Amino acid sequence: MTSDARHSLPTHDVLNQPPARGDQDLWATDPVLQANVGLTGGRTDPLISYAQTIGQAEVRELGREANRHPPELKQFDPGGRRLDEVRFHPAYHHLMRLSRSAGYATLPWDGEPGGHATHAAMVYIASQIEPGHCCPLTMTYAAIPTIAAHGDIASVWHPKLMSPRYDPATKPIGEKTGATLGMAMTEKQGGSDVRANTTRALRDGDHWRLRGHKWFCSAPMSDGFLTLAQAPEGLTCFLVPRWLEGERNAIHLMRLKDKLGNKSNASAEIEFHDALAFQLGEEGAGVRTILEMVHHTRLDTAMAPAGLMRAALSEAHHWVTHRTAFQRRLLDQPLMRAVLADLVLDWEGALTLGMRVARSFDGHTAEDRAFARISVALAKFLNTKRCPVVVAEALEVLGGMGYVEDTPLPLLYREAPLNGIWEGSGNVICLDILRTLSREPLAAEVLGAELNAAKGADRAYDAALRAHRERWPALPAEAEARWFAERTALLLTASQLLQNGPDAVADGFIATRLSGHSGRIPGSVAGLDTDALLARLG
């Protein structure tokens, strides 16, 4: 054999590698989503279409592109004139158009039933493909009711916010075919303590002028921002338009944040240099006014972790189905099955609880509103705490490949902690739970009723609920707030699974999350119905 012939021989054959996933129908392959949408009154038609479209291999690759090519800040034009613009990769704009036209931000406000449940399911689906573009759409969704309550402002802004069109043009609101809204609340010295904000608002005729610095402005290329500033009567909520007639509003983008994840979405430090602003709500009542927006964004921070968990588990399941080791498929090995079955409990619990919360957002009674306030905080706390654990374990299933950017696991891993920080980190949420239960008797009443609704179905659940109430006959001391919040959220999840989930899931969740027989490491369990649990992955 000649030297040239030897050099032309292959070094190896590609064996024991899973096939490319191709197009994925994120509705048809997810029986847990289908069941929960049915239970909560969500609309299947827009979800089926959205799930099929965004799951296509081409769209998934666009999501990867949007993260490989993050946004860039253009502060000045070549002549030195201020631009204060953020330039995005075309893949980002494609994803924004797709999700905006599907109704991600607007379905809850179109007057048809099941809008919030449908929106929550879209958040779950979108988070599996590209979570970064969800941020401006979530804030737009959450700000619409706040804007709608202010007649003169609503007449201009509401039709643009409700439009199915995504319009990234740098134009004033009157010339846009669609609009998005962002939020700028956090300042350096205050963080979650927004009452410590120092940005000032000065009256200018019928409007206001804002001067100050915001340490975090989410989605700085939005058409407007809800923000807080100190007016003469106290902290007040304002709408600050990005563009004015014939000029740019005096909002200076100082730098983009170099974040751990969420790379496709821009976050910025900004300064208001006497920027024009419109008052929302009463002067001095800024926190109360903006809490409506915060309340709705929290729904999305409770739902997105379920989507991230689903995406990570789907990749792990695909890997173990097609990968062999020691003459057996990974999926057929008992320890691997135990790990994945245990993780299914976290994912299905998170999705089921999140969708139940969304159903209460669609309700119209005082009881629905009270349950939404308390349950969204509980769901956000528990789901965001479990998400990084589930994603990390799924990454480990793939071994070294899970740590490589050829798979979506690194992106999911970087994204996993975000929702635990957005709209209140863990301690803030736990204190908010205590505050809601102490100040709103109806919230405590409806939460108790929801927990009681599952009594009698499982003795272990009944024992856990009884022990919980004996441990805390009244609200706990602040130092125990996390313990209390976790146990309450676990019980609330278990109650939903008992009432609506299959026995294998409900029994497994209660035995491992409530009864104290499980270790803290996933897979440190025995007695799970692994066949039934793994079948939930579709």
Side-chain angles (χ1 to χ4, degrees), residues 121 145 151 215 230 257 260 410 442:
W215 205 21
Q230 300 286 355
K257 296 292 192 179
L260 168 67
L442 186 56

Side-chain angles (χ1 to χ4, degrees), residues 143 146-147 150 153 181-185 199-204 206-211 214 224-241 272 275-287 289-290 293:
T146 302
I147 297 297
H150 298 82
I153 295 173
L181 286 178
M183 181 188 288
M185 292 174 60
T199 296
R200 296 291 170 182
L202 298 176
R203 175 72 73 174
D204 182 9
D206 294 334
H207 310 309
W208 295 80
R209 296 284 175 176
L210 304 190
R211 175 167 284 269
K214 295 293 180 179
F225 309 99
L226 266 62
T227 193
L228 296 174
Q230 300 286 355
E233 298 298 321
L235 197 63
T236 304
C237 183
F238 296 94
L239 169 65
V240 186
F272 296 129
L276 182 72
F278 303 97
Q279 181 179 328
L280 298 177
E282 298 176 11
E283 187 177 345
V287 173
T289 302
I290 208 165
M293 182 178 185

Side-chain angles (χ1 to χ4, degrees), residues 49 74 108 119 130 132 149 176 179 199 220 240 335 343 369 377 383 414 453 474 514 517 533:
S49 175
K74 298 294 183 183
H119 164 80
E130 202 297 294
K176 300 294 289 285
T199 296
V240 186
L335 188 54
L343 298 177
R369 290 189 291 273
N383 293 357
R414 289 190 295 268
L514 291 181
H517 301 315
L533 291 173

Side-chain angles (χ1 to χ4, degrees), residues 294-455:
V294 172
H295 176 59
H296 286 91
T297 52
R298 280 186 179 173
L299 174 61
D300 289 20
T301 63
M303 286 303 306
L308 297 174
M309 286 188 258
R310 167 66 185 182
L313 285 175
S314 179
E315 289 296 323
H317 187 254
H318 180 71
W319 179 267
V320 300
T321 301
H322 297 281
R323 180 84 166 170
T324 63
F326 311 110
Q327 292 76 53
R328 286 188 298 175
R329 284 194 315 165
L330 293 177
L331 183 60
D332 297 329
Q333 303 197 28
L335 188 54
M336 181 63 75
R337 295 176 69 81
V339 171
L340 290 177
D342 196 2
L343 298 177
V344 165
L345 297 173
D346 284 317
W347 155 61
E348 183 156 357
L351 176 54
T352 301
L353 178 57
M355 290 299 293
R356 172 63 183 92
V357 174
R359 191 181 86 191
S360 69
F361 274 66
D362 279 317
H364 302 290
T365 67
E367 289 77 11
D368 289 324
R369 290 189 291 273
F371 184 74
R373 280 193 295 277
I374 186 62
S375 65
V376 75
L378 289 165
K380 170 178 159 54
F381 180 70
L382 181 61
N383 293 357
T384 58
K385 292 303 179 189
R386 296 310 303 164
C387 183
V389 176
V390 173
V391 173
E393 287 287 345
L395 183 155
E396 188 176 323
V397 167
L398 275 67
M401 278 303 297
Y403 209 67
V404 174
E405 297 286 351
D406 290 340
T407 76
L409 271 302
L411 184 154
L412 298 171
Y413 186 73
R414 289 190 295 268
E415 197 74 21
L418 174 60
N419 292 284
I421 299 168
W422 191 17
E423 299 302 17
S425 56
N427 287 356
V428 171
I429 294 298
C430 289
L431 295 176
D432 188 55
I433 289 168
L434 298 189
R435 189 161 45 246
T436 299
L437 292 174
S438 66
R439 296 180 181 178
E440 300 186 36
L442 186 56
E445 180 182 330
V446 294
L447 175 61
E450 194 71 26
L451 296 176
N452 288 338
K455 286 176 65 175

Side-chain angles (χ1 to χ4, degrees), residues 234-254:
L235 197 63
T236 304
C237 183
F238 296 94
L239 169 65
V240 186
R242 189 76 178 81
W243 321 104
L244 305 177
E245 294 293 337
E247 62 179 333
R248 299 162 191 269
N249 204 359
I251 306 169
H252 293 179
L253 274 57
M254 309 309 293

